[in-house]
């Protein structure tokens, strides 16, 4: 029987989970001396590298002495909370990372609640102790208070604390000690995390907690072996969540070490492996022994709270920049996404229209950004929250929102959120002129708020939110205050006409940008929409004017990336997404059509 420990690394977004896993991989001697390794090696996807956030939970394993430690790096953002919950069921211990200055954040609360409920004993790692404003003692008290508030058991409250600066590979058990390496962290894991329960002699039981896909072998289920042994070529029974039993055969068995995956012949209770060959495998399914099937409890997967409609691009510039433009291609891509992404769903709601549901705006924009990089061209509508009927009452999702901002701006933000039906629940000074304010707000109130929030706090505010619960519907919520500047002609925008338009509001386009009738080229400085002509050139005559031509000075346009644009648009507007551009447009391009629909 090999000596195994299974741990998850959980924390709020940007508190250093992936960097810590890097340190564990390096200091355990898992990499050979010849291997070149990038920073944050576990964030393998291009978007994860750019944004510095983890989107998909990933697992790795390190050898330390004669032990194998399976480590699962989890996402910290609230939109991917479902992944964290599933991962925690697969491990026997958890490293909870908390930033030595920021302290306990909404996502920390969310993951701690899940972890304590499952009876897992944590190891608390206070990270980033090298920050000039770090205050580890205050943060330890905050963590303890959080555990008490979440009804932790006596055993869970007696947690070991490790102080670390993961980026520099430093860790120590006491702030007064000199800096050491991660040896104390490894020793704490081996000492405090219990060995996996289960016996290799019992009938086989594996539960799948995440999915992968390979073009050669098809769907891959990453699973923990709770009991028994599994070998390549075994015949098995797959127990689905609805009780259906499917026969199958393991065509490939894959083990993990460092960043490598290698084919193995057999594995036994306690280990985490990947299995291929079962096409219908899903998250939460149990792989069991056909002679003695004993399925485990299926997992609860968090319900989506937002929907957005993806449609075929039908603008006048359609098909000029993208490779994949037809509804069949979009459907195939969404099918492929649903193969591995359990938190998302989609359904066809009309000719070339697909309603995609997910946990939040970030999750949906990441799918859209990935599709656009793969050469897709499509339209997206404004996100809407999913409204449910619970016991005859119309209910909508509420979020727990935490904002950290300079104290001078607190009044403005509290007033703005009040108009969006938010209720303030707490306000705490954070030191250094910053204040933390907590709210409970309908998810609808957060759509389109981030841009406004950054403007109001001069870019210094930080906002984080996590799903709270469904509550009765609160009525209408204030949305965008300003109208749009809409092009009334097809053609190419000219500097002369843009110069004359910039008094009317903020522009989104540069000179020489292709525009079409009904396309939004800027934000009006008033509440109504305004049709403008951005392609009018200067009239040339053969009469010399007495004064020289005025120099045309253009204010740089506002850069609208995918997230900003999706937050900005209203119900009667669409986002046109292509590999090269992101354009905003009215749903009905013709002004007379717009008036007719507005009356309806």
């Amino acid at each position: 029987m090999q000596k195994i420990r299974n741990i998850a690394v959980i924390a709020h977004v940007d508190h250093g989970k992936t960097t810590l896993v890097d340190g564990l991989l390096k200091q355990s001697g898992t990499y050979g001396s010849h291997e070149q390794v990038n920073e944050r090696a576990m964030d393998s996807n291009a978007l994860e590298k750019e944004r510095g956030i983890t989107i998909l939970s990933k697992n790795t394993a390190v050898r330390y002495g004669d032990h194998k430690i399976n480590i699962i790096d989890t996402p910290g953002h609230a939109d991917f909370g479902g992944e964290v919950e599933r991962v925690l069921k697969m491990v026997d211990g958890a490293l909870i990372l908390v930033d030595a200055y920021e302290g306990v954040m909404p996502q920390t609360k969310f993951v701690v609640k899940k972890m304590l409920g499952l009876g897992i004993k944590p190891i608390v790692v206070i990270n980033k102790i090298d920050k000039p404003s770090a205050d580890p003692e205050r943060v330890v008290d905050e963590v303890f208070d959080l555990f008490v508030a979440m009804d932790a058991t006596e055993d869970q409250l007696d947690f070991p604390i490790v102080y670390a600066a993961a980026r520099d590979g430093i860790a120590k058990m006491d702030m007064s000690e000199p800096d050491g390496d991660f040896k104390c962290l490894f020793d704490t894991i081996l000492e405090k995390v219990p060995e996996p329960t289960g016996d290799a002699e019992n009938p086989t039981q594996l539960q799948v907690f995440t999915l992968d896909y390979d073009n050669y072998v098809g769907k891959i289920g990453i699973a923990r072996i709770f009991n028994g042994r599994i070998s390549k070529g075994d015949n098995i029974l797959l127990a689905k969540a609805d009780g259906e039993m499917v026969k199958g055969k393991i065509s490939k068995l894959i083990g993990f070490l460092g960043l490598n995956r290698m084919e193995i012949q057999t594995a036994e209770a306690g280990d985490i492996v990947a299995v291929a060959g079962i096409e219908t495998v899903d998250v939460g399914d149990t792989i069991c022994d056909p002679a003695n099937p004993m399925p485990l409890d299926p997992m609860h997967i968090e319900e989506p709270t937002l929907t957005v409609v993806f449609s075929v691009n039908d603008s006048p510039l359609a098909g000029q920049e993208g490779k994949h433009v037809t509804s069949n291609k979009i459907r195939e891509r969404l099918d492929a996404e649903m193969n591995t992404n359990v938190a998302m769903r989609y359904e066809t709601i009309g000719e070339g229209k697909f309603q995609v549901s997910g946990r939040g705006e970030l999750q949906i924009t990441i799918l859209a950004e990935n599709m656009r990089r793969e050469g897709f061209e499509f339209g997206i509508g404004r996100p809407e929250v999913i409204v449910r009927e619970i016991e005859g009452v119309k209910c909508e999702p509420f979020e727990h929102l935490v904002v950290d901002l300079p104290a001078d701006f607190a009044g403005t933000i509290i007033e703005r959120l009040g108009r969006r039906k938010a209720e303030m629940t707490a306000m705490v000074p954070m030191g250094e002129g910053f204040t933390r304010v907590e709210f409970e707000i309908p998810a609808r109130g957060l759509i389109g708020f981030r841009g406004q929030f950054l403007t109001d706090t001069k870019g210094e505010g930080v906002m984080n939110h996590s799903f709270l619960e469904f509550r009765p519907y609160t009525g209408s919520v204030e949305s965008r205050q300003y109208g749009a500047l809409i092009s009334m002609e097809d053609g190419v925008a000219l500097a002369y006409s843009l110069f004359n338009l910039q008094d009317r509001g903020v522009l989104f386009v540069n000179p020489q940008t292709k525009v079409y009738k009904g396309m939004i080229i800027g934000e009006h400085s008033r509440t109504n929409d305004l049709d403008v002509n951005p392609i009018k050139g200067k009239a040339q005559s053969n009469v010399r004017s007495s004064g020289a031509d005025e120099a045309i000075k253009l204010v740089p346009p506002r850069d609208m990336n995918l997230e900003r644009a999706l937050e900005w648009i209203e119900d009667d507007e669409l986002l046109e997404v292509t590999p090269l551009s992101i354009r905003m447009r009215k749903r009905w391009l013709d002004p007379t059509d717009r008036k007719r629909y507005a009356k309806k």
Side-chain angles (χ1 to χ4, degrees):
M1 178 86 185
Q2 45 179 344
K3 296 178 180 175
I4 294 176
R5 295 287 187 279
N6 295 320
I7 57 166
V9 183
I10 57 179
H12 184 78
V13 68
D14 229 10
H15 279 195
K17 294 178 292 295
T18 308
T19 311
L20 181 83
V21 175
D22 269 5
L24 292 171
L25 283 165
K26 282 178 187 150
Q27 294 198 19
S28 63
T30 301
Y31 296 141
S33 52
H34 59 284
E35 283 187 77
Q36 284 292 313
V37 185
N38 297 331
E39 247 188 66
R40 297 200 321 272
M42 298 292 283
D43 284 351
S44 49
N45 149 335
L47 273 180
E48 292 183 316
K49 286 196 168 78
E50 277 170 37
R51 293 165 184 242
I53 59 171
T54 304
I55 294 169
L56 304 162
S57 59
K58 297 178 203 61
N59 49 306
T60 181
V62 301
R63 290 217 169 275
Y64 183 72
D66 56 352
H67 284 76
K68 178 182 181 184
I69 305 175
N70 285 311
I71 305 170
I72 307 179
D73 180 17
T74 62
H77 199 283
D79 288 11
F80 311 109
E83 296 239 354
V84 181
E85 196 177 351
R86 298 198 304 275
V87 162
L88 287 173
K89 293 201 170 158
M90 298 298 132
V91 295
D92 307 300
L95 296 182
I96 295 186
L97 250 78
V98 191
D99 184 302
Y101 165 65
E102 288 188 355
V104 171
M105 297 293 276
Q107 198 58 23
T108 322
K109 293 183 181 174
F110 175 82
V111 292
V112 164
K113 187 175 170 187
K114 303 282 183 208
M115 181 206 71
L116 296 175
L118 292 165
I120 294 172
K121 189 172 173 189
I123 295 171
V124 173
V125 180
I126 307 294
N127 193 21
K128 307 192 184 183
I129 55 171
D130 52 338
K131 273 189 175 180
S133 53
D135 185 355
E137 301 307 316
R138 168 182 64 86
V139 174
V140 170
D141 291 344
E142 274 185 29
V143 174
F144 188 80
D145 293 345
L146 172 68
F147 277 45
V148 173
M150 298 275 183
D151 296 332
T153 62
E154 288 291 322
D155 192 36
Q156 286 171 327
L157 285 172
D158 182 24
F159 51 81
I161 303 165
V162 179
Y163 299 93
R167 191 187 55 191
D168 305 327
I170 294 169
K172 50 189 172 180
M173 298 304 286
D174 196 311
M175 283 301 285
S176 56
E177 292 174 8
D179 293 347
D181 60 10
F182 279 4
K183 180 179 184 304
C184 61
L185 182 55
F186 281 117
D187 292 342
T188 309
I189 291 171
L190 296 187
E191 185 189 334
K192 298 291 183 186
V193 176
E195 285 192 7
T197 54
D199 191 342
E201 303 312 317
N202 291 346
T204 305
Q205 281 178 318
L206 283 80
Q207 191 162 32
V208 176
F209 65 92
T210 184
L211 299 174
D212 206 344
Y213 195 81
D214 184 302
N215 290 337
Y216 296 104
V217 296
K219 240 182 188 179
I220 297 173
I222 299 174
R224 169 164 171 187
I225 310 173
F226 282 95
N227 273 304
R229 286 191 181 83
I230 186 112
S231 301
K232 185 179 170 178
D234 279 0
N235 289 315
I236 52 97
L237 262 184
L238 183 69
K240 309 286 289 175
D242 57 6
E244 185 192 355
M245 295 283 194
V246 184
K247 287 183 177 170
K249 185 174 183 174
I250 306 288
S251 65
K252 253 191 181 180
L253 191 63
I254 302 160
F256 299 92
L257 186 64
L259 300 179
N260 303 322
R261 294 181 170 198
M262 56 256 171
E263 280 199 50
I264 53 177
Q265 293 306 314
T266 183
E268 51 184 48
D271 212 346
I272 291 177
V273 293
V275 294
I278 318 159
E279 258 317 291
T280 54
V281 71
D282 242 327
V283 166
D285 292 354
T286 309
I287 294 171
C288 35
D289 185 351
N292 189 359
M294 292 158 74
L296 295 157
D297 291 341
M299 287 183 197
H300 159 71
I301 291 167
E302 287 216 339
E303 294 292 313
T305 53
L306 267 190
T307 71
V308 63
V309 175
F310 280 61
S311 56
V312 171
N313 185 13
D314 58 358
S315 87
L317 300 179
Q320 294 184 14
E321 296 174 358
K323 266 194 318 197
H324 310 303
V325 293
T326 62
S327 65
N328 286 349
K329 283 285 185 192
I330 295 173
R331 182 186 290 112
E332 279 171 23
R333 177 63 182 82
L334 290 174
D335 278 335
E337 183 68 24
M338 302 309 143
N339 264 339
T340 56
N341 192 338
V342 259
M344 287 184 111
R345 320 217 167 113
Y346 92 96
E347 54 186 326
T348 308
I349 54 167
E351 188 62 43
K353 287 189 176 174
F354 308 96
Q355 187 172 33
V356 178
S357 315
R359 280 280 303 121
E361 280 175 78
L362 181 70
Q363 199 180 31
I364 287 165
T365 49
I366 279 173
L367 168 63
E369 183 64 46
N370 277 328
M371 285 173 68
R372 116 176 230 229
R373 290 178 182 204
E374 291 160 22
F376 283 85
E377 192 175 297
F378 51 92
I380 308 186
R382 185 173 192 247
E384 292 177 7
V385 300
I386 294 174
V387 178
R388 276 204 219 152
E389 199 156 298
I390 301 173
E391 296 175 0
V393 181
K394 186 176 168 189
C395 293
E396 63 173 334
F398 267 68
E399 302 268 332
H400 173 217
L401 170 70
V402 175
V403 295
D404 285 353
L405 72 179
D408 307 352
F409 305 131
T412 316
I413 295 301
I414 291 167
E415 183 197 352
R416 285 228 189 263
L417 285 165
R419 291 192 212 140
R420 290 169 175 263
K421 300 278 196 286
E423 281 183 24
M424 189 167 87
T425 56
M427 189 167 176
V428 188
M430 288 289 289
E432 307 217 348
F434 271 71
T435 301
R436 174 171 296 177
V437 196
E438 303 194 19
F439 299 90
E440 292 179 359
I441 181 170
R444 278 180 307 143
L446 283 172
I447 295 175
F449 178 63
R450 191 175 290 271
Q452 180 76 58
F453 173 76
L454 287 172
T455 309
D456 288 343
T457 60
K458 298 196 167 51
E460 289 191 50
V462 179
M463 61 185 259
N464 292 289
H465 54 91
S466 63
F467 174 67
L468 204 56
E469 60 188 354
F470 276 85
R471 290 187 187 169
Y473 200 75
T474 52
S476 63
V477 164
E478 179 196 82
S479 57
R480 190 176 86 211
Q481 294 169 312
Y482 301 108
L485 297 175
I486 305 160
S487 169
M488 55 207 276
E489 298 290 342
D490 298 342
V492 172
L494 296 178
Y496 174 76
S497 51
L498 293 181
F499 173 67
N500 292 322
L501 287 175
Q502 57 189 15
D503 297 340
R504 299 295 189 132
V506 182
L507 295 178
F508 300 153
V509 295
N510 277 313
Q512 300 305 308
T513 304
K514 286 183 184 173
V515 295
Y516 53 80
K517 194 172 172 179
M519 175 171 153
I520 296 170
I521 62 156
E523 181 176 84
H524 192 193
S525 54
R526 304 205 171 154
T527 52
N528 61 316
D529 290 348
L530 186 68
D531 287 299
V532 295
N533 182 356
I535 67 168
K536 189 171 84 181
K538 185 173 184 187
Q540 302 291 342
S541 76
N542 57 359
V543 179
R544 298 257 176 107
S545 60
S546 57
D549 283 353
E550 292 161 33
I552 290 178
K553 292 198 179 97
L554 286 175
V555 178
R558 185 187 293 171
D559 175 34
M560 295 300 267
N561 61 14
L562 189 60
E563 270 134 41
R564 268 182 149 183
L566 194 64
E567 287 191 335
W568 190 86
I569 58 174
E570 284 293 327
D571 292 338
D572 65 334
E573 294 161 359
L574 290 176
L575 206 54
E576 177 188 346
V577 181
T578 77
L580 303 180
S581 350
I582 287 167
R583 306 185 188 97
M584 287 169 284
R585 50 165 281 197
K586 285 290 181 185
R587 203 173 278 260
W588 297 284
L589 299 176
D590 192 278
T592 44
D593 288 351
R594 286 205 290 279
K595 282 180 186 143
R596 189 182 308 132
Y597 281 105
K599 277 181 184 162
K600 282 184 183 175

